[in-house]
Every structure is written in structure tokens, then in C-alpha cells.
């Protein structure tokens, strides 16, 4: 019995060693990186970005923004982290962009954010967020700058 227990403990340690590396005996998570991904599973670029992040052993927090529309404060935060004005991360070819006349240069950022809240498909996808920075995953490799 004790042999099994010892073997089990050894296996746990080996598993632990797979996921952690040591510097002077202090162990750190191999991938402590967390990325929040504003994701549309119907979009091939979004799926490719998710796969790329998963292949890099990144912990991905998925937000399906079409099911859970973003708030004004979330959009303001995304804008700041992307270092972009809202129009720069909007899908300008969407019908809602045209029917709501969102190309109008007199519209405020708040107006544009409200349009994204009302029509979530206007949000460019995917958008990856890490700490205080973000990237639009077009092409998907753009998100690698966050790692």
C-alpha cells in the first residue's frame, strides 16, 4: 500500500514539475498568463485566435459578447487598452453601421459605444485583453504581442 501511495505522490510531483519550473527552488506557474477574449464562435478569426492562445498554454476567459452585450464602462476600458477610438474597432461593413449612420464624424465616442451596446455585431472580433493592454486578433497572431 505504501508503495502505491509513494508512487502516487511521486506522480503528483512529476505532474507538478510538468507545469512549473523552478528558480533557486521557488516554483512559479509555467503560464500564469490570463487573457480575456471577446469571442464570437461563428467567426473563423475568433476561433483561430482562441486556438492559438490555447496552444500557447494561456488561460483564456471567453466572453461571448453577442450573448452578453458589453456595458459602457467595459467598452471604455477596451478602447483605452487598445489605445483606439471606438470607430477603429467597429465593423464598418455591418448593416447597422450604415443604417445608424455611424460614419457621421459628429458622433461622440459615447454615441458609438451605445451603438455597439445596441448592436453587438458592430464590435470587431476577436479582441484579447491582458492586464492593461489589448489587441484585435486580425490577424490572429496580433494577440501574441500580449504574451
Amino acid at each position: 500500500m505504501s508503495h502505491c501511495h509513494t508512487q502516487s505522490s511521486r506522480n503528483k510531483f512529476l505532474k507538478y514539475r510538468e507545469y512549473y519550473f523552478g528558480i533557486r527552488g521557488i516554483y512559479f506557474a509555467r503560464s500564469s498568463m490570463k487573457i480575456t477574449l471577446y469571442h464570437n464562435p461563428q467567426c473563423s478569426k475568433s476561433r483561430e485566435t482562441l486556438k492559438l492562445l490555447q496552444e500557447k498554454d494561456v488561460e483564456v476567459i471567453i466572453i461571448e459578447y453577442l450573448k452578453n452585450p458589453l456595458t459602457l464602462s467595459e467598452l471604455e476600458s477596451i478602447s483605452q487598452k487598445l489605445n483606439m477610438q471606438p470607430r477603429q474597432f467597429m465593423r464598418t461593413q455591418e448593416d447597422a453601421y450604415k443604417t445608424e449612420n455611424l460614419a457621421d464624424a459628429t458622433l461622440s465616442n459615447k454615441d458609438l459605444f451605445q451603438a455597439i451596446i445596441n448592436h453587438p455585431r458592430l464590435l470587431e472580433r476577436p479582441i484579447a485583453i491582458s492586464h492593461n493592454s489589448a489587441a484585435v486578433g486580425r490577424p490572429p497572431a496580433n494577440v501574441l504581442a500580449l504574451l
Side-chain angles (χ1 to χ4, degrees):
M1 277 295 179
S2 65
H3 176 68
C4 289
H5 178 70
T6 304
Q7 187 63 33
S8 175
S9 296
R10 180 170 165 70
N11 287 343
K12 284 182 184 176
F13 178 73
L14 291 174
K15 183 107 176 134
Y16 175 81
R17 294 280 296 178
E18 282 177 29
Y19 292 104
Y20 294 83
F21 62 92
I23 299 172
R24 296 184 182 166
I26 300 170
Y27 291 87
F28 299 93
R30 185 177 83 179
S31 177
S32 60
M33 177 64 68
K34 288 184 184 180
I35 299 275
T36 300
L37 186 67
Y38 293 92
H39 177 63
N40 177 353
Q42 302 301 314
C43 172
S44 64
K45 296 295 182 200
S46 196
R47 290 191 310 269
E48 287 173 35
T49 301
L50 176 59
K51 182 180 177 188
L52 180 64
L53 291 170
Q54 289 171 332
E55 287 170 354
K56 298 289 184 185
D57 290 328
V58 173
E59 182 181 339
V60 181
I61 300 162
I62 298 171
I63 298 177
E64 291 189 23
Y65 64 92
L66 293 177
K67 292 180 182 176
N68 304 296
L70 303 175
T71 65
L72 177 60
S73 63
E74 288 171 320
L75 288 167
E76 289 171 336
S77 177
I78 289 170
S79 180
Q80 180 182 17
K81 290 174 183 178
L82 284 170
N83 196 27
M84 292 181 180
Q85 296 299 309
R87 195 173 276 115
Q88 293 175 286
F89 58 95
M90 290 178 78
R91 298 175 57 81
T92 59
Q93 297 305 311
E94 288 290 325
D95 289 339
Y97 190 86
K98 296 167 186 159
T99 59
E100 300 287 327
N101 195 29
L102 298 175
D104 180 353
T106 64
L107 292 174
S108 69
N109 285 350
K110 191 171 181 179
D111 293 332
L112 296 173
F113 290 141
Q114 191 58 54
I116 295 171
I117 292 167
N118 294 342
H119 306 280
R121 289 195 175 277
L122 289 170
L123 184 69
E124 187 58 88
R125 60 186 185 254
I127 295 176
I129 309 282
S130 172
H131 303 293
N132 291 321
S133 58
V136 176
R138 290 189 174 266
N142 282 355
V143 302
L144 295 178
L146 300 174
L147 304 182

